[in-house]
């Protein structure tokens, strides 16, 4: 069930970010801005997975039969802190950013 929630949330975010980016940057910079978004997302995934591996590896004691529950609890709280931080900082990313133009050239042609 948890994976379904995470999957649905990821799908909603990944589908709306390119549109948000396209609305906020000039038309000739849309590809670059979306590329930077993809790079940041990939780098975040790499850092997150390596952080999880480090937490799990550091929590395993010699001779232990498995990973202790405390490792997963720590990872949960780290993930929750990252989510809260992201939610708190995300409005700052678009604060004061006006759309690149009131209407894109294609939209202006449609309304003309």
């Amino acid at each position: 069930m948890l994976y379904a929630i995470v999957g649905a949330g990821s799908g909603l975010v990944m589908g709306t970010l390119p549109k948000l980016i396209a609305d906020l940057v000039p038309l000739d910079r849309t590809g670059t801005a979306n590329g930077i978004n993809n790079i940041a997302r990939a780098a975040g995934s790499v850092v997150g997975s390596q952080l999880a591996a480090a937490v799990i590896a550091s929590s395993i004691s010699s001779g232990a039969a498995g990973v202790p529950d405390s490792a997963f609890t720590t990872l949960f709280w780290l993930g929750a802190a990252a989510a809260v931080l992201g939610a708190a900082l995300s409005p700052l990313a678009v604060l004061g950013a006006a759309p690149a133009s009131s209407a894109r050239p294609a939209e202006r042609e449609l309304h003309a």
Side-chain angles (χ1 to χ4, degrees):
M1 179 66 171
L2 178 63
Y3 289 116
I5 294 169
V6 170
S10 296
L12 291 171
V13 168
M14 299 310 166
T16 57
L17 275 177
K19 169 74 168 102
L20 177 64
I21 290 169
D23 288 345
L24 293 174
V25 299
L27 188 59
D28 61 336
R29 301 283 186 197
T30 304
T32 302
N34 276 308
I36 290 170
N37 173 52
N38 289 335
I39 290 169
R41 192 173 64 229
S45 297
V46 168
V47 169
S49 62
Q50 292 306 305
L51 177 63
V55 168
I56 289 173
S58 68
S59 67
I60 298 175
S61 59
S62 60
V67 179
D69 289 341
S70 63
F72 296 106
T73 302
T74 301
L75 289 172
F76 170 80
W77 287 114
L78 284 172
V84 168
L85 183 64
L89 293 178
S90 61
L92 300 176
V94 294
L95 188 66
S101 67
S102 59
R104 302 257 181 206
E107 293 171 351
R108 279 183 243 155
E109 291 174 9
L110 289 174
H111 298 292

